[in-house]
Amino acid sequence: MPFSIATWNINSVRLRMPLVERLLVEQAPDVLCLQETKVPDELFPEKAFRKLGYQHIAFHGQKGYHGVATVARRPIAIVEKRRFCEIEDCRHLSVTVRAGGKVILLHNFYVPAGGDEPDPIINRKFKHKLDFVAEMNTIRAEHDEVSGSILVGDLNIAPLEHDVWSHKQLLKVVSHTPVETENFEAMRLAGDWVDLMRLNVPYEQKLYTWWSYRAQDWEASDRGRRLDHVWSSPNLVPSFAGYEILRPARGWQRPSDHVPVVARFDLD
């Protein structure tokens, strides 16, 4: 079986633990990266994960907001819990995991959403988002003959025209404004990251991982955005075996507005 990594903005891990359990039973990824866990470290539901065979757990959380966690069926080692923009809001966690004879540096990110007004002068949340992405330029896709890097998470930006349901209508909507998308792609390229979800997918094909709670019928309207991403260092591209966006999870009981993405690599 290939080495697999799932990423999911769960929007409260304790509230939606039954959904997490379903994902782990049905998909059995080697590693699961969660965002927006909304739980302080001392209350993280470790027992539930261990019961399902995920004995290796790392988290970076706080009460009620933000938070990331990485759980695995194989050993992981915490590398860093980085603070961005001089704000301690628990949005990053990196670990190492061994796969296919390589040491993989795995980054788990939750980028700020940015509020509603795409103006950094009047909206401090939007300024925070732009500053956060700028600091991500220091996160490089480190790799050599025996190592590689993978970056996953809710990056809260849909960078390409067909990563949203309507490019024209969302140009002034936070997550798809030109200042976000241009800086985001410049950061990705500067770090030598490969956007694996678009690697073998036609540019004109729509890709979504998020559907708003505001839609009365999210499936019928299908006004989605690709806010969740999977990147890797160039040397892991030959081992990339594809991915799946688990769209049906948006229809599970009491769902997150994001769905899981499961990426697979021939790195067993």
PDB file of all heavy atoms in Angstrom, residues 118-147:
ATOM      1  N   PRO A 118     -11.476  43.004   1.825  1.00  0.00           N
ATOM      2  CA  PRO A 118     -10.129  42.802   1.286  1.00  0.00           C
ATOM      3  C   PRO A 118      -9.310  44.090   1.216  1.00  0.00           C
ATOM      4  O   PRO A 118      -8.801  44.480   0.164  1.00  0.00           O
ATOM      5  CB  PRO A 118     -10.403  42.231  -0.105  1.00  0.00           C
ATOM      6  CG  PRO A 118     -11.687  42.864  -0.515  1.00  0.00           C
ATOM      7  CD  PRO A 118     -12.499  42.976   0.761  1.00  0.00           C
ATOM      8  N   ASP A 119      -9.176  44.746   2.364  1.00  0.00           N
ATOM      9  CA  ASP A 119      -8.428  45.997   2.443  1.00  0.00           C
ATOM     10  C   ASP A 119      -7.593  45.962   3.719  1.00  0.00           C
ATOM     11  O   ASP A 119      -8.144  46.050   4.824  1.00  0.00           O
ATOM     12  CB  ASP A 119      -9.374  47.191   2.460  1.00  0.00           C
ATOM     13  CG  ASP A 119      -8.640  48.531   2.407  1.00  0.00           C
ATOM     14  OD1 ASP A 119      -7.453  48.573   2.798  1.00  0.00           O
ATOM     15  OD2 ASP A 119      -9.252  49.525   2.001  1.00  0.00           O
ATOM     16  N   PRO A 120      -6.270  45.829   3.607  1.00  0.00           N
ATOM     17  CA  PRO A 120      -5.435  45.709   4.808  1.00  0.00           C
ATOM     18  C   PRO A 120      -5.402  46.964   5.670  1.00  0.00           C
ATOM     19  O   PRO A 120      -5.033  46.902   6.838  1.00  0.00           O
ATOM     20  CB  PRO A 120      -4.050  45.395   4.234  1.00  0.00           C
ATOM     21  CG  PRO A 120      -4.071  45.943   2.851  1.00  0.00           C
ATOM     22  CD  PRO A 120      -5.483  45.765   2.369  1.00  0.00           C
ATOM     23  N   ILE A 121      -5.808  48.102   5.103  1.00  0.00           N
ATOM     24  CA  ILE A 121      -5.801  49.347   5.870  1.00  0.00           C
ATOM     25  C   ILE A 121      -6.949  49.385   6.862  1.00  0.00           C
ATOM     26  O   ILE A 121      -6.791  49.793   8.014  1.00  0.00           O
ATOM     27  CB  ILE A 121      -5.865  50.570   4.921  1.00  0.00           C
ATOM     28  CG1 ILE A 121      -4.607  50.604   4.046  1.00  0.00           C
ATOM     29  CG2 ILE A 121      -6.003  51.866   5.721  1.00  0.00           C
ATOM     30  CD1 ILE A 121      -4.610  51.707   3.013  1.00  0.00           C
ATOM     31  N   ILE A 122      -8.117  48.928   6.451  1.00  0.00           N
ATOM     32  CA  ILE A 122      -9.290  48.996   7.328  1.00  0.00           C
ATOM     33  C   ILE A 122      -9.623  47.651   7.974  1.00  0.00           C
ATOM     34  O   ILE A 122     -10.441  47.592   8.888  1.00  0.00           O
ATOM     35  CB  ILE A 122     -10.526  49.527   6.571  1.00  0.00           C
ATOM     36  CG1 ILE A 122     -10.927  48.558   5.453  1.00  0.00           C
ATOM     37  CG2 ILE A 122     -10.270  50.914   6.023  1.00  0.00           C
ATOM     38  CD1 ILE A 122     -12.216  48.962   4.743  1.00  0.00           C
ATOM     39  N   ASN A 123      -8.994  46.583   7.511  1.00  0.00           N
ATOM     40  CA  ASN A 123      -9.283  45.246   8.034  1.00  0.00           C
ATOM     41  C   ASN A 123      -7.986  44.606   8.514  1.00  0.00           C
ATOM     42  O   ASN A 123      -7.196  44.100   7.725  1.00  0.00           O
ATOM     43  CB  ASN A 123      -9.941  44.386   6.952  1.00  0.00           C
ATOM     44  CG  ASN A 123     -10.239  42.968   7.428  1.00  0.00           C
ATOM     45  OD1 ASN A 123     -10.072  42.639   8.599  1.00  0.00           O
ATOM     46  ND2 ASN A 123     -10.671  42.115   6.510  1.00  0.00           N
ATOM     47  N   ARG A 124      -7.786  44.617   9.830  1.00  0.00           N
ATOM     48  CA  ARG A 124      -6.542  44.072  10.390  1.00  0.00           C
ATOM     49  C   ARG A 124      -6.428  42.565  10.142  1.00  0.00           C
ATOM     50  O   ARG A 124      -5.331  42.030  10.072  1.00  0.00           O
ATOM     51  CB  ARG A 124      -6.453  44.393  11.882  1.00  0.00           C
ATOM     52  CG  ARG A 124      -7.546  43.781  12.728  1.00  0.00           C
ATOM     53  CD  ARG A 124      -7.372  44.113  14.207  1.00  0.00           C
ATOM     54  NE  ARG A 124      -8.424  43.533  15.031  1.00  0.00           N
ATOM     55  CZ  ARG A 124      -8.429  42.282  15.456  1.00  0.00           C
ATOM     56  NH1 ARG A 124      -7.437  41.470  15.133  1.00  0.00           N
ATOM     57  NH2 ARG A 124      -9.422  41.821  16.207  1.00  0.00           N
ATOM     58  N   LYS A 125      -7.570  41.861  10.023  1.00  0.00           N
ATOM     59  CA  LYS A 125      -7.525  40.426   9.759  1.00  0.00           C
ATOM     60  C   LYS A 125      -6.948  40.148   8.370  1.00  0.00           C
ATOM     61  O   LYS A 125      -6.196  39.187   8.178  1.00  0.00           O
ATOM     62  CB  LYS A 125      -8.919  39.814   9.890  1.00  0.00           C
ATOM     63  CG  LYS A 125      -9.471  39.796  11.299  1.00  0.00           C
ATOM     64  CD  LYS A 125     -10.829  39.112  11.349  1.00  0.00           C
ATOM     65  CE  LYS A 125     -11.367  39.042  12.768  1.00  0.00           C
ATOM     66  NZ  LYS A 125     -12.698  38.378  12.811  1.00  0.00           N
ATOM     67  N   PHE A 126      -7.303  40.998   7.416  1.00  0.00           N
ATOM     68  CA  PHE A 126      -6.782  40.816   6.063  1.00  0.00           C
ATOM     69  C   PHE A 126      -5.289  41.134   6.022  1.00  0.00           C
ATOM     70  O   PHE A 126      -4.509  40.428   5.375  1.00  0.00           O
ATOM     71  CB  PHE A 126      -7.546  41.698   5.080  1.00  0.00           C
ATOM     72  CG  PHE A 126      -7.278  41.374   3.635  1.00  0.00           C
ATOM     73  CD1 PHE A 126      -7.667  40.157   3.099  1.00  0.00           C
ATOM     74  CD2 PHE A 126      -6.625  42.280   2.812  1.00  0.00           C
ATOM     75  CE1 PHE A 126      -7.418  39.848   1.766  1.00  0.00           C
ATOM     76  CE2 PHE A 126      -6.375  41.986   1.478  1.00  0.00           C
ATOM     77  CZ  PHE A 126      -6.776  40.772   0.946  1.00  0.00           C
ATOM     78  N   LYS A 127      -4.881  42.174   6.744  1.00  0.00           N
ATOM     79  CA  LYS A 127      -3.459  42.500   6.832  1.00  0.00           C
ATOM     80  C   LYS A 127      -2.684  41.351   7.463  1.00  0.00           C
ATOM     81  O   LYS A 127      -1.590  41.001   7.003  1.00  0.00           O
ATOM     82  CB  LYS A 127      -3.250  43.772   7.650  1.00  0.00           C
ATOM     83  CG  LYS A 127      -1.783  44.207   7.737  1.00  0.00           C
ATOM     84  CD  LYS A 127      -1.616  45.467   8.537  1.00  0.00           C
ATOM     85  CE  LYS A 127      -0.163  45.939   8.496  1.00  0.00           C
ATOM     86  NZ  LYS A 127       0.798  44.927   8.960  1.00  0.00           N
ATOM     87  N   HIS A 128      -3.256  40.764   8.518  1.00  0.00           N
ATOM     88  CA  HIS A 128      -2.620  39.614   9.158  1.00  0.00           C
ATOM     89  C   HIS A 128      -2.426  38.478   8.153  1.00  0.00           C
ATOM     90  O   HIS A 128      -1.363  37.839   8.108  1.00  0.00           O
ATOM     91  CB  HIS A 128      -3.481  39.151  10.337  1.00  0.00           C
ATOM     92  CG  HIS A 128      -2.937  37.970  11.071  1.00  0.00           C
ATOM     93  ND1 HIS A 128      -3.746  37.070  11.724  1.00  0.00           N
ATOM     94  CD2 HIS A 128      -1.659  37.509  11.241  1.00  0.00           C
ATOM     95  CE1 HIS A 128      -3.000  36.132  12.281  1.00  0.00           C
ATOM     96  NE2 HIS A 128      -1.740  36.360  11.998  1.00  0.00           N
ATOM     97  N   LYS A 129      -3.437  38.241   7.335  1.00  0.00           N
ATOM     98  CA  LYS A 129      -3.346  37.161   6.350  1.00  0.00           C
ATOM     99  C   LYS A 129      -2.218  37.427   5.346  1.00  0.00           C
ATOM    100  O   LYS A 129      -1.410  36.533   5.054  1.00  0.00           O
ATOM    101  CB  LYS A 129      -4.679  37.020   5.615  1.00  0.00           C
ATOM    102  CG  LYS A 129      -4.708  35.882   4.610  1.00  0.00           C
ATOM    103  CD  LYS A 129      -6.085  35.756   3.976  1.00  0.00           C
ATOM    104  CE  LYS A 129      -6.214  34.484   3.163  1.00  0.00           C
ATOM    105  NZ  LYS A 129      -7.594  34.299   2.641  1.00  0.00           N
ATOM    106  N   LEU A 130      -2.150  38.645   4.841  1.00  0.00           N
ATOM    107  CA  LEU A 130      -1.104  38.977   3.878  1.00  0.00           C
ATOM    108  C   LEU A 130       0.281  38.882   4.512  1.00  0.00           C
ATOM    109  O   LEU A 130       1.231  38.378   3.885  1.00  0.00           O
ATOM    110  CB  LEU A 130      -1.335  40.385   3.320  1.00  0.00           C
ATOM    111  CG  LEU A 130      -2.634  40.607   2.530  1.00  0.00           C
ATOM    112  CD1 LEU A 130      -2.703  42.043   2.036  1.00  0.00           C
ATOM    113  CD2 LEU A 130      -2.747  39.638   1.366  1.00  0.00           C
ATOM    114  N   ASP A 131       0.400  39.340   5.746  1.00  0.00           N
ATOM    115  CA  ASP A 131       1.685  39.265   6.443  1.00  0.00           C
ATOM    116  C   ASP A 131       2.074  37.807   6.709  1.00  0.00           C
ATOM    117  O   ASP A 131       3.251  37.440   6.617  1.00  0.00           O
ATOM    118  CB  ASP A 131       1.604  40.029   7.770  1.00  0.00           C
ATOM    119  CG  ASP A 131       1.519  41.535   7.586  1.00  0.00           C
ATOM    120  OD1 ASP A 131       1.789  42.020   6.471  1.00  0.00           O
ATOM    121  OD2 ASP A 131       1.170  42.230   8.565  1.00  0.00           O
ATOM    122  N   PHE A 132       1.097  36.989   7.031  1.00  0.00           N
ATOM    123  CA  PHE A 132       1.342  35.564   7.297  1.00  0.00           C
ATOM    124  C   PHE A 132       1.889  34.880   6.040  1.00  0.00           C
ATOM    125  O   PHE A 132       2.893  34.155   6.096  1.00  0.00           O
ATOM    126  CB  PHE A 132       0.047  34.908   7.748  1.00  0.00           C
ATOM    127  CG  PHE A 132       0.205  33.533   8.334  1.00  0.00           C
ATOM    128  CD1 PHE A 132       0.148  33.343   9.702  1.00  0.00           C
ATOM    129  CD2 PHE A 132       0.395  32.418   7.528  1.00  0.00           C
ATOM    130  CE1 PHE A 132       0.292  32.074  10.263  1.00  0.00           C
ATOM    131  CE2 PHE A 132       0.538  31.149   8.065  1.00  0.00           C
ATOM    132  CZ  PHE A 132       0.484  30.977   9.436  1.00  0.00           C
ATOM    133  N   VAL A 133       1.244  35.117   4.913  1.00  0.00           N
ATOM    134  CA  VAL A 133       1.695  34.516   3.655  1.00  0.00           C
ATOM    135  C   VAL A 133       3.095  35.006   3.303  1.00  0.00           C
ATOM    136  O   VAL A 133       3.932  34.230   2.809  1.00  0.00           O
ATOM    137  CB  VAL A 133       0.693  34.801   2.525  1.00  0.00           C
ATOM    138  CG1 VAL A 133       1.258  34.382   1.172  1.00  0.00           C
ATOM    139  CG2 VAL A 133      -0.623  34.086   2.790  1.00  0.00           C
ATOM    140  N   ALA A 134       3.361  36.274   3.577  1.00  0.00           N
ATOM    141  CA  ALA A 134       4.700  36.803   3.309  1.00  0.00           C
ATOM    142  C   ALA A 134       5.746  36.072   4.144  1.00  0.00           C
ATOM    143  O   ALA A 134       6.835  35.736   3.646  1.00  0.00           O
ATOM    144  CB  ALA A 134       4.739  38.302   3.604  1.00  0.00           C
ATOM    145  N   GLU A 135       5.431  35.787   5.402  1.00  0.00           N
ATOM    146  CA  GLU A 135       6.378  35.062   6.256  1.00  0.00           C
ATOM    147  C   GLU A 135       6.546  33.620   5.812  1.00  0.00           C
ATOM    148  O   GLU A 135       7.585  32.994   6.079  1.00  0.00           O
ATOM    149  CB  GLU A 135       5.924  35.106   7.718  1.00  0.00           C
ATOM    150  CG  GLU A 135       6.224  36.417   8.404  1.00  0.00           C
ATOM    151  CD  GLU A 135       6.099  36.337   9.913  1.00  0.00           C
ATOM    152  OE1 GLU A 135       6.323  35.245  10.483  1.00  0.00           O
ATOM    153  OE2 GLU A 135       5.783  37.372  10.527  1.00  0.00           O
ATOM    154  N   MET A 136       5.551  33.071   5.138  1.00  0.00           N
ATOM    155  CA  MET A 136       5.676  31.697   4.647  1.00  0.00           C
ATOM    156  C   MET A 136       6.748  31.556   3.578  1.00  0.00           C
ATOM    157  O   MET A 136       7.135  30.439   3.221  1.00  0.00           O
ATOM    158  CB  MET A 136       4.325  31.199   4.114  1.00  0.00           C
ATOM    159  CG  MET A 136       3.323  30.852   5.195  1.00  0.00           C
ATOM    160  SD  MET A 136       1.733  30.275   4.526  1.00  0.00           S
ATOM    161  CE  MET A 136       2.203  28.684   3.818  1.00  0.00           C
ATOM    162  N   ASN A 137       7.263  32.666   3.072  1.00  0.00           N
ATOM    163  CA  ASN A 137       8.374  32.607   2.124  1.00  0.00           C
ATOM    164  C   ASN A 137       9.612  31.967   2.740  1.00  0.00           C
ATOM    165  O   ASN A 137      10.512  31.525   2.013  1.00  0.00           O
ATOM    166  CB  ASN A 137       8.709  34.010   1.612  1.00  0.00           C
ATOM    167  CG  ASN A 137       7.837  34.440   0.453  1.00  0.00           C
ATOM    168  OD1 ASN A 137       8.107  34.118  -0.702  1.00  0.00           O
ATOM    169  ND2 ASN A 137       6.764  35.163   0.750  1.00  0.00           N
ATOM    170  N   THR A 138       9.674  31.934   4.060  1.00  0.00           N
ATOM    171  CA  THR A 138      10.823  31.309   4.724  1.00  0.00           C
ATOM    172  C   THR A 138      10.684  29.792   4.811  1.00  0.00           C
ATOM    173  O   THR A 138      11.642  29.107   5.192  1.00  0.00           O
ATOM    174  CB  THR A 138      10.996  31.877   6.140  1.00  0.00           C
ATOM    175  OG1 THR A 138       9.849  31.557   6.933  1.00  0.00           O
ATOM    176  CG2 THR A 138      11.172  33.395   6.105  1.00  0.00           C
ATOM    177  N   ILE A 139       9.503  29.256   4.480  1.00  0.00           N
ATOM    178  CA  ILE A 139       9.270  27.808   4.522  1.00  0.00           C
ATOM    179  C   ILE A 139       9.614  27.230   3.153  1.00  0.00           C
ATOM    180  O   ILE A 139       8.861  27.380   2.190  1.00  0.00           O
ATOM    181  CB  ILE A 139       7.813  27.488   4.892  1.00  0.00           C
ATOM    182  CG1 ILE A 139       7.423  28.177   6.204  1.00  0.00           C
ATOM    183  CG2 ILE A 139       7.610  25.979   4.980  1.00  0.00           C
ATOM    184  CD1 ILE A 139       8.166  27.673   7.416  1.00  0.00           C
ATOM    185  N   ARG A 140      10.739  26.590   3.057  1.00  0.00           N
ATOM    186  CA  ARG A 140      11.220  26.071   1.780  1.00  0.00           C
ATOM    187  C   ARG A 140      11.022  24.560   1.688  1.00  0.00           C
ATOM    188  O   ARG A 140      10.971  23.870   2.704  1.00  0.00           O
ATOM    189  CB  ARG A 140      12.700  26.417   1.585  1.00  0.00           C
ATOM    190  CG  ARG A 140      12.989  27.929   1.630  1.00  0.00           C
ATOM    191  CD  ARG A 140      12.147  28.692   0.611  1.00  0.00           C
ATOM    192  NE  ARG A 140      12.290  30.124   0.667  1.00  0.00           N
ATOM    193  CZ  ARG A 140      13.027  30.848  -0.184  1.00  0.00           C
ATOM    194  NH1 ARG A 140      13.715  30.237  -1.140  1.00  0.00           N
ATOM    195  NH2 ARG A 140      13.055  32.151  -0.077  1.00  0.00           N
ATOM    196  N   ALA A 141      10.952  24.078   0.467  1.00  0.00           N
ATOM    197  CA  ALA A 141      10.777  22.645   0.214  1.00  0.00           C
ATOM    198  C   ALA A 141      12.134  21.950   0.312  1.00  0.00           C
ATOM    199  O   ALA A 141      12.744  21.575  -0.694  1.00  0.00           O
ATOM    200  CB  ALA A 141      10.143  22.428  -1.149  1.00  0.00           C
ATOM    201  N   GLU A 142      12.598  21.779   1.521  1.00  0.00           N
ATOM    202  CA  GLU A 142      13.914  21.188   1.746  1.00  0.00           C
ATOM    203  C   GLU A 142      13.940  19.734   1.258  1.00  0.00           C
ATOM    204  O   GLU A 142      13.006  18.982   1.507  1.00  0.00           O
ATOM    205  CB  GLU A 142      14.261  21.253   3.229  1.00  0.00           C
ATOM    206  CG  GLU A 142      14.275  22.662   3.803  1.00  0.00           C
ATOM    207  CD  GLU A 142      14.479  22.667   5.301  1.00  0.00           C
ATOM    208  OE1 GLU A 142      14.881  21.615   5.848  1.00  0.00           O
ATOM    209  OE2 GLU A 142      14.236  23.715   5.935  1.00  0.00           O
ATOM    210  N   HIS A 143      15.037  19.374   0.588  1.00  0.00           N
ATOM    211  CA  HIS A 143      15.135  18.000   0.111  1.00  0.00           C
ATOM    212  C   HIS A 143      16.566  17.687  -0.317  1.00  0.00           C
ATOM    213  O   HIS A 143      17.344  18.568  -0.669  1.00  0.00           O
ATOM    214  CB  HIS A 143      14.178  17.749  -1.063  1.00  0.00           C
ATOM    215  CG  HIS A 143      14.500  18.569  -2.284  1.00  0.00           C
ATOM    216  ND1 HIS A 143      14.163  19.904  -2.403  1.00  0.00           N
ATOM    217  CD2 HIS A 143      15.114  18.223  -3.445  1.00  0.00           C
ATOM    218  CE1 HIS A 143      14.554  20.354  -3.580  1.00  0.00           C
ATOM    219  NE2 HIS A 143      15.137  19.360  -4.237  1.00  0.00           N
ATOM    220  N   ASP A 144      16.867  16.402  -0.263  1.00  0.00           N
ATOM    221  CA  ASP A 144      18.117  15.889  -0.811  1.00  0.00           C
ATOM    222  C   ASP A 144      17.884  14.419  -1.155  1.00  0.00           C
ATOM    223  O   ASP A 144      16.728  13.985  -1.277  1.00  0.00           O
ATOM    224  CB  ASP A 144      19.297  16.089   0.147  1.00  0.00           C
ATOM    225  CG  ASP A 144      19.073  15.443   1.516  1.00  0.00           C
ATOM    226  OD1 ASP A 144      18.326  14.445   1.605  1.00  0.00           O
ATOM    227  OD2 ASP A 144      19.650  15.939   2.501  1.00  0.00           O
ATOM    228  N   GLU A 145      18.937  13.640  -1.293  1.00  0.00           N
ATOM    229  CA  GLU A 145      18.777  12.253  -1.719  1.00  0.00           C
ATOM    230  C   GLU A 145      18.021  11.392  -0.716  1.00  0.00           C
ATOM    231  O   GLU A 145      17.401  10.391  -1.080  1.00  0.00           O
ATOM    232  CB  GLU A 145      20.154  11.627  -1.989  1.00  0.00           C
ATOM    233  CG  GLU A 145      20.855  12.215  -3.203  1.00  0.00           C
ATOM    234  CD  GLU A 145      22.177  11.535  -3.458  1.00  0.00           C
ATOM    235  OE1 GLU A 145      22.549  10.637  -2.667  1.00  0.00           O
ATOM    236  OE2 GLU A 145      22.839  11.874  -4.451  1.00  0.00           O
ATOM    237  N   VAL A 146      18.062  11.769   0.551  1.00  0.00           N
ATOM    238  CA  VAL A 146      17.436  10.937   1.584  1.00  0.00           C
ATOM    239  C   VAL A 146      16.313  11.655   2.321  1.00  0.00           C
ATOM    240  O   VAL A 146      15.837  11.172   3.349  1.00  0.00           O
ATOM    241  CB  VAL A 146      18.495  10.441   2.596  1.00  0.00           C
ATOM    242  CG1 VAL A 146      19.483   9.512   1.924  1.00  0.00           C
ATOM    243  CG2 VAL A 146      19.212  11.611   3.259  1.00  0.00           C
ATOM    244  N   SER A 147      15.869  12.789   1.798  1.00  0.00           N
ATOM    245  CA  SER A 147      14.813  13.535   2.480  1.00  0.00           C
ATOM    246  C   SER A 147      13.952  14.284   1.484  1.00  0.00           C
ATOM    247  O   SER A 147      14.337  14.498   0.328  1.00  0.00           O
ATOM    248  CB  SER A 147      15.404  14.516   3.493  1.00  0.00           C
ATOM    249  OG  SER A 147      16.113  15.553   2.836  1.00  0.00           O
TER     250      SER A 147
END
